[in-house]
Amino acid sequence: MTSHRLLSPRDFRRMPWKNGGGRTAEIAAWSREPGAEAFAGRVSIAEIERDGPFSAFPGVDRTFVLLDGAGVVLTQGGVDVEVVARHEPLRFAGDEASSCRLVGGPVRAFNLMVRRGRAQGGVVVADGEATIAGPFRFGLCYAAEGASECLLPGRAPIAVAEGNALLIDGEERTVSMHVNPIDAGAVAIVAALDAPD
């Protein structure tokens, strides 16, 4: 049986960055082993307010999706990557510290972190049209713009309002999910963990 839970922004765990350059709203963190301190996967929204470093996360693969703002330039290992297109996932290894330069003012970004060797996964963007995400064991659908509905096997459609998220646990099996826009131009971002390669 698949379980799910709707989350509103008041359910997100908010914390300032240690360097003062922004804030993070953690939507969900997941560990495969009960009682494990380190996450296997983590989904959050970052509010980046000024130029500065990103912390290193050894053994973690990161996916960054620009939500709002003019964009950023990420620098890692002396290589600059400009991220100015909204809703296009950028994947990079978190092993090395990175720096971030704002292109034109503060931005918000969706982040998925997956600990290598303990989980695998990725991001699917449903941008204004019906999309299938999965199969996955653990998933989260974030309504980035407008409202979307999520269809899980054996369940009535679940509406997810803008700024809210749907947390899905396949409970030891993999599931797939259909994501349909409710509002015109709706954008939903699905983070999937333990998705097959």
Side-chain angles (χ1 to χ4, degrees):
M1 186 72 171
T2 301
S3 64
H4 69 274
R5 180 184 170 208
L6 278 167
L7 304 172
S8 72
R10 67 177 174 270
D11 297 313
F12 303 166
R13 183 170 162 254
R14 301 179 186 279
M15 61 201 83
W17 291 3
K18 290 179 181 178
N19 66 11
R23 294 185 298 273
T24 294
E26 182 182 272
I27 303 175
W30 175 69
S31 176
R32 286 175 65 167
E33 296 86 17
E37 289 186 15
F39 63 79
R42 179 178 185 249
V43 179
S44 62
I45 303 292
E47 298 175 8
I48 307 172
E49 298 168 343
R50 64 178 192 229
D51 299 352
F54 280 1
S55 298
F57 285 90
V60 172
D61 291 320
R62 304 184 64 170
T63 304
F64 180 98
V65 184
L66 181 67
L67 296 174
D68 299 303
V72 300
V73 177
L74 296 177
T75 302
Q76 187 179 55
V79 177
D80 290 346
V81 178
E82 191 176 59
V83 183
V84 294
R86 292 190 310 146
H87 310 139
E88 291 189 7
L90 170 70
R91 188 168 179 168
F92 62 98
D95 301 85
E96 292 183 53
S98 308
S99 64
C100 170
R101 187 173 77 249
L102 298 172
V103 171
V107 302
R108 285 192 325 126
F110 180 95
N111 286 285
L112 168 66
M113 296 187 186
V114 179
R115 195 170 302 278
R116 222 172 291 133
R118 291 186 55 201
Q120 55 186 349
V123 166
V124 175
V125 178
D127 193 348
E129 58 185 28
T131 303
I132 299 175
F136 55 78
R137 159 73 174 79
F138 174 91
L140 184 136
C141 178
Y142 175 72
E145 290 187 15
S148 292
E149 69 175 9
C150 300
L151 286 78
L152 294 163
R155 303 268 185 182
I158 303 164
V160 185
E162 181 175 332
N164 289 248
L166 176 67
L167 187 62
I168 303 119
D169 186 343
E171 297 184 356
E172 306 305 329
R173 66 190 183 93
T174 56
V175 296
S176 291
M177 176 175 63
H178 291 250
V179 181
N180 298 322
I182 294 176
D183 296 332
V187 178
I189 301 174
V190 179
L193 282 177
D194 279 354
D197 288 332

